[in-house]
Amino acid sequence: MTINPGDNTEKELLAGILLQLDIAAFEYIEGKLIPISTPPNWFDELYLLNIDHQHKSSEYLLSEAFPFIENFIYDAKNIWQCSNQQPLRSGLWSECLDDLYELNLEAIAMKIGNHSLLLIANETSHFELRRKVYQNARNLALKNERLESSIQLHQRQLQQQLEKLYKKDNSFDGVDDDIENESTAVLICRHDGSVEVFNKALIDIYAMSEETRLSEKSLLKKWSEEAERQYPEIHRVLQSGQHWEGEFETFDNNHRKKWVRLMIAPVFDQNNELEHYICVANDISNIKLSAKEIELLTQIDPNTHLPNRRSFWNYLTEQIDKSQETGTSLALLYLDLDHFKQVNDDLGPEQADFLLNAVANRLKQCLKKQDFIAHLGGDEFAVVIKNIVDQQSLSKIAQRIRENIYRDISFGDFTLNVSTSIGIAIYPQHGLKPNLLVKNADYAMYHAKEMGRNQFQFSSPYSKRHIKRKIHIEQGLKSALSNNEFKLLYQPQISLEKQGQHRIEALIRWHHPNHGTITPADFISIAEESGIIIDIGRWVLETACKEIKSLNKKGYSAKISINVSPKQFKYSSIIDEVKAALEYYKVDPSQLELEVTESVFLDDLEQVIKQLELLKGLGVTLALDDFGTGYSSLNYIKQLPIDILKIDRSFISELPFNRHGCTIVESIIAMSHQLSIEVVAEGIETKEQLEYLRNLGCDFVQGYLFYAPLSSEELISLYQSLQPKQ
Amino acid sequence: MRLSKKICMVGAFAVGKTSLVRRFVDSIFSEKYHTTIGVKIDKRQVELHENSVQLILWDIEGVDIFTDLNASYLRGASGIILVIDGTRPATLDTAKELISLIENTISDYRIVVLFNKHDLEQEWAMPAALTDSLNIDKDSIFFTSAKTGENVEEAFQHLTELICPPEVVDK
Ligand SMILES: Nc1nc2c(ncn2[C@@H]2O[C@H](COP(=O)(O)OP(=O)(O)O)[C@@H](O)[C@H]2O)c(=O)[nH]1
Ligand SMILES: [Mg+2]
């Protein structure tokens, strides 16, 4: 990249990028810092606040205004002096705009080509999260430090107290009472290690049983051996009659690992001979454990307190290595909340955090302690379960998770349900490497979403293929329009009553360069999800209008009906678009028909009816597609401003032998006619079907019995054969 | 003409560096621990021999397992305020490590050591033997409290005097 001040559009682009990233950028030229573009407002405000005099030239006296930058420039110069240097970051520093508003900034020095650059980036928005993590970690560390030093203090006091007691009459008689209820473990032994006194706290640490208790003479030896690994000097210290204190790992009688803090004090008799040792010990496993936790804190999500993505990867990699060594398996569950984006938008960030917390807690509740739960970020969670591989047990676990999360979550004044989709992959079946395992669990999760959400799926070749194909389709759709991969086919509808009106339904086809022809069933829902349907809809409208116009030119007056997605009503200005297309192609509005499905009325009935009426006002007609499959009853049709109704093909295929189907079709036609709505039957494949419908007075029929969907050329030759040009 | 001097506040985390700066610059104190990330720079004028010196105070994030002292922040410092929490023996160990880091990084600086939180008598864990173990001139050791203000003004004043010998200020 080069920065070329001569090129205006590039300059604007760069200025835009810098502003979006909230960066003030300067070039260092002959000892001066010249802004590359207008710095963000906060920067100028800050600068003016810190500089004593108004600056006139284009130069910014950053060193004068900001001691922090002044200092950083020294290091920056090292970067600027040679090429091929990595950028240098200053680390964060804070500046106050006023009493309330603190900015968290970082300076970055870099060399690009022969340009020496200094960037001041505003990190304020990312800062709070980091601060929260560090705050938690330091609070915890502080607590541990206090605990540790109070233990240390107590051990010293206790030891002094015991020594004083001994000095009174040169014996430890009667000391029992003093130490029995002491929470710190005490062991007093002779210099050869034989036990004189001990208390219950010692038994507790070492989980000693009744029998072993009195004969337990070797603790001193055991301790010094255990401590020796970290404190090689311990023998020398003890032999020379000095105090020793330290922390080390020890094993109790059940071979459980613990951390103890131990203090050993020699006691001398009247002749100054080393006679006894007073040993004082505390189990500090908890402190050590939480010190480890503190280290992990930077790997913990500050909101849910679950391990984050980074520690998830560490853990998974570690566990897969272990499983490989031991030949065991493990399961990975990948969770994603359903429609979280919507929930997040509706609730706002605080409530969304609350929700994620609730989900985290429920996950913890319904899993075992040894199962690993991570919050990967956003609404994604992962669970690693060791030593369970049979799908049945895993299904049970996944089911439990699903049900638990789906329970009501109370927000005080309202409750909410969130569902999850879960993908499961098992090592080694579904992947030997962490990233493959994660990928396959993710595919399976995606598959669960596909299947309607709020469920789980195991990784399978099918889910993998299926999802891969879907992702291909999704990506392919993005370029399909510009690559001209769509085509409209035209299927004529035959009038059973009136003669002469050509009606055609336009059907879209997609010729994918790798997957061949893809039918609408396979891509429309994906296009709707991604919003591309709006552009596709626009293309269909224009292509159909073009076709009408070209047919008109050839002397055939046909009415083409096009399918319109509910999304087009919701997210585009469909009315303006239809109007513009009609005008542009000079098409008579009565030659265009829009087909909508019942689902369009699910959203906001009144709003949609209004839109439909405006469309009718343009002169186009409206058809209701797939009638009978959805939600609406015939009664409800009365409210809708439609001209024509299409009976769904599923009813037609059963005619005339299915009594139930016949009744429905009969009443649809009768009722529609009463409402002056015409009826089209689609999917006609047999003569019997045709005769049956003709007898019921159906207005139009469409299907392979007459014509398959035709290309534009085929359509024209058809018309030519039917009705030679006048 | 104005003289200005850079002073760095260093020490383990939560020993009271930020609180000492707040006490010295704004005369306020808060019990709440709000950990510092990165660097925050404050300024205060100090009167000395009928002249004024501007102190530029660098409050640097405390040292702990996540953060080492970024040595480049020390560049150009005339004074170092090394803070120890008198209730936490471990912060003395950190202080000793910092002293050797500072010695190896800059020269021509003066240092004062503050045993802070001196108001917390009950929890005080710093016997004289320990405070003496630092190789620091006794005059430059202060027992301070950001909470009560004890010795805060004195410590800063003392450091200012150390870094601005009379002949420098007079000129
Ligand atoms: N009692 C008491 N608390 C103090 C004193 N100085 C600081 N603190 C508290 O110690 C904690 C850490 O202080 P802070 O200034 O943030 O430490 P820093 O990390 O070194 O900047 C805060 O809760 C302060 O309120 C003091 O002199 N006395
Ligand atoms: Mg601080």
Side-chain angles (χ1 to χ4, degrees), chain A residues 496-509:
Chain A
L496 295 181
E497 300 284 316
K498 302 164 226 155
Q499 287 296 308
Q501 192 189 13
H502 293 307
R503 286 181 55 92
I504 310 162
E505 181 180 4
L507 297 163
I508 191 165
R509 293 290 181 270

Side-chain angles (χ1 to χ4, degrees), chain A residues 67-68 71 74-75 90-94 96 102 127 130-131 134-135 137-139 141-142 145 149 294-295 298, chain B residues 6 13-14 33-41 58 61-62 64-67 70 72-73 75 88 90-91:
Chain A
F68 187 86
N71 184 61
Y74 286 91
D75 301 312
S90 68
L92 287 170
W93 98 96
S94 313
C96 287
E102 191 182 78
F127 180 80
R130 178 162 154 199
R131 218 193 57 78
Y134 278 51
Q135 183 82 59
R138 287 178 174 149
N139 284 343
L142 216 51
E145 221 183 291
S149 65
I294 292 169
E295 259 183 72
T298 42
Chain B
K6 172 172 176 178
F13 72 99
Y33 174 38
H34 192 81
T35 191
T36 310
I37 306 266
V39 174
K40 173 90 204 301
I41 298 175
W58 285 52
E61 178 170 6
D64 65 5
I65 50 166
F66 311 131
T67 327
N70 182 340
S72 75
Y73 294 158
R75 181 188 297 113
R88 288 157 56 209
T91 65

Side-chain angles (χ1 to χ4, degrees), chain A residues 420-471:
Chain A
T420 30
S421 299
I422 306 174
I424 308 172
I426 300 168
Y427 170 90
Q429 286 99 296
H430 300 133
L432 293 172
K433 291 266 174 306
N435 53 352
L436 196 63
L437 203 63
V438 168
K439 215 176 190 168
N440 283 332
D442 183 54
Y443 279 137
M445 184 277 290
Y446 215 98
H447 188 201
K449 293 241 184 228
E450 280 284 284
M451 301 301 285
R453 298 183 161 85
N454 198 12
Q455 56 181 282
F456 62 89
Q457 289 287 335
F458 282 91
S459 172
S460 68
Y462 171 76
S463 72
K464 205 163 142 181
R465 240 192 351 257
H466 177 76
I467 298 305
K468 264 194 173 158
R469 181 175 143 98
K470 186 180 160 185
I471 291 169

Side-chain angles (χ1 to χ4, degrees), chain A residues 46-61:
Chain A
L46 202 59
Y47 178 69
L48 289 175
L49 205 66
N50 281 277
I51 197 93
D52 297 333
H53 46 89
Q54 214 67 16
H55 67 110
K56 291 211 184 63
S57 69
S58 57
E59 180 189 2
Y60 274 64
L61 305 171

